[in-house]
Amino acid sequence: MAEANWTSVSEFVLLGLSERQDLQLLIFGGLLATYVLNLAGNSMLLVLIWSDPQLASPMYFFLSQLAMVDMGLASITLPQALVQAQTHHRTVPFASCMAQLFFFLAVDTMEIYLLAAMAYDRYVAVCDPLRYAAMMTRSLCLKMVAACWAVVIPHALLHTVMTARLRYCGNFVQHFFCDVPPLLRLSCTRPLAYELVISTLGVLVVVPPFVFILASYARIGVAVGRLRSAQALRKALSTCGSHLAVVLLLYSTVTWLYFRPASSHALGHDWEVAVFYTVVVPALNPVIYSLRNKDVASALRRTGRKVLARGA
């Protein structure tokens, strides 16, 4: 029965990005600047998408959902890291750590499913443009987002409960937020059953969206190959290029962090990749989707003119 206890520790100590005192100000400044960039860029996208009628399309609806997820992903991890760097307060109650783990896993997995939904949207737009408006209705988009949440929330809850039920022989977490791999390394015994569940769920939950994205782009590639108009070809590539860039960034880091054998985890590299994944990528997404996007640039100019007109 002792193994069934919820935990053998009452709190965790997050060691953060570095224990060197002379680097804390630099870490704080870098994290704060990236966090502000994330909030500003994604908020700008949300305002443009929600206020400009010309951006009222399924592609930008999904992009607005992605922007909210990106802000949520950074907000779950960065404020705590900023406090650690500024005040050196690294202690986190057990319940707070598990709550952070749940929200992080839910939002993190939701980003993967949103990218799959966006891939389907691009597939319909390129491969069946005449039926696009009839197929990609507002109702369908809302149902797709709701279905994504219906998958990711139980997935995150199961991982959180199983992690909470582990017995820990230490409480010093070599990370800047509560995540599954660093917490597993604190377990008293090698949790083979849990690692098997993680691997199985990873395959069942994370791999299908990736396969769906690959299949969608395979069909898109065939359709693009048949285009004879250079203008149509450029339009098709421009609508898919940004999405592909985000997919490559996301899945390369997810694979590195969660789909390697436990014995191959190098802590020094893990936190570096985690910073890139949870801090840099969410801040880059609005930049990637805005560069060379004529619709977003036009909406930004229209919004700017409206603001200037009201000010005058």
Side-chain angles (χ1 to χ4, degrees):
M1 293 298 293
E3 291 295 318
N5 291 338
W6 278 89
T7 183
S8 52
V9 299
S10 60
E11 61 185 19
F12 291 102
V13 179
L14 299 175
L15 299 181
L17 297 177
S18 175
E19 296 184 61
R20 291 179 53 181
Q21 297 303 315
D22 58 323
L23 293 179
Q24 298 307 310
L25 184 59
L26 180 62
I27 291 173
F28 178 83
L31 293 180
L32 180 61
T34 310
Y35 189 35
V36 171
L37 179 63
N38 178 317
L39 296 180
N42 285 297
S43 297
M44 180 198 70
L45 272 180
L46 286 175
V47 170
L48 292 176
I49 292 170
W50 290 346
S51 63
D52 196 305
Q54 296 189 33
L55 297 184
S57 67
M59 180 177 74
Y60 292 107
F61 169 77
F62 288 124
L63 183 55
S64 70
Q65 301 299 306
L66 184 65
M68 289 188 289
V69 165
D70 283 336
M71 287 192 293
L73 187 63
S75 297
I76 290 168
T77 58
L78 280 185
Q80 180 176 267
L82 290 170
V83 171
Q84 293 168 5
Q86 189 68 12
T87 66
H88 313 301
H89 179 73
R90 302 176 184 272
T91 302
V92 179
F94 177 82
S96 298
C97 184
M98 292 301 111
Q100 184 184 48
L101 177 64
F102 168 75
F103 287 114
F104 171 75
L105 290 175
V107 173
D108 178 39
T109 311
M110 184 62 183
E111 183 159 12
I112 294 173
Y113 275 78
L114 279 176
L115 291 175
M118 295 171 73
Y120 177 73
D121 172 71
R122 294 299 85 206
Y123 159 73
V124 177
V126 175
C127 299
D128 201 357
L130 297 179
R131 299 176 55 199
Y132 178 76
M135 294 177 62
M136 297 301 298
T137 63
R138 184 77 171 182
S139 175
L140 176 62
C141 294
L142 291 172
K143 290 177 181 178
M144 291 173 68
V145 171
C148 292
W149 281 116
V151 172
V152 304
I153 289 177
H155 169 254
L157 183 60
L158 178 59
H159 273 289
T160 304
V161 170
M162 293 189 68
T163 304
R165 294 184 65 85
L166 294 174
R167 288 185 61 82
Y168 297 99
C169 291
N171 66 340
F172 287 87
V173 183
Q174 298 189 28
H175 211 22
F176 65 100
F177 67 94
C178 294
D179 197 8
V180 171
L183 290 175
L184 278 179
R185 284 189 283 269
L186 297 179
S187 177
C188 297
T189 58
R190 183 176 176 85
L192 293 177
Y194 183 29
E195 289 185 2
L196 180 61
V197 170
I198 290 178
S199 300
T200 303
L201 282 178
V203 172
L204 295 178
V205 175
V206 178
V207 174
F210 184 59
V211 173
F212 183 82
I213 292 171
L214 291 180
S216 298
Y217 273 102
R219 296 292 300 274
I220 290 173
V222 172
V224 169
R226 295 173 180 171
L227 294 176
R228 298 183 179 180
S229 169
Q231 182 178 359
L233 177 60
R234 284 194 299 269
K235 183 177 180 180
L237 293 177
S238 66
T239 60
C240 300
S242 300
H243 181 259
L244 271 177
V246 174
V247 169
L248 291 175
L249 282 174
L250 181 67
Y251 271 94
S252 60
T253 51
V254 167
T255 301
W256 175 269
L257 287 172
Y258 300 107
F259 288 91
R260 291 180 297 140
S263 59
S264 68
H265 280 269
L267 298 180
H269 293 300
D270 275 4
W271 74 257
E272 293 169 359
V273 177
V275 168
F276 181 76
Y277 176 46
T278 60
V279 178
V280 179
V281 173
L284 284 178
N285 282 351
V287 178
I288 293 173
Y289 277 104
S290 299
L291 288 175
R292 300 180 64 183
N293 189 314
K294 295 180 180 179
D295 292 336
V296 174
S298 298
L300 184 59
R301 286 193 295 269
R302 287 192 296 271
T303 303
R305 286 194 294 267
K306 291 179 181 178
V307 172
L308 292 175
R310 290 175 182 176

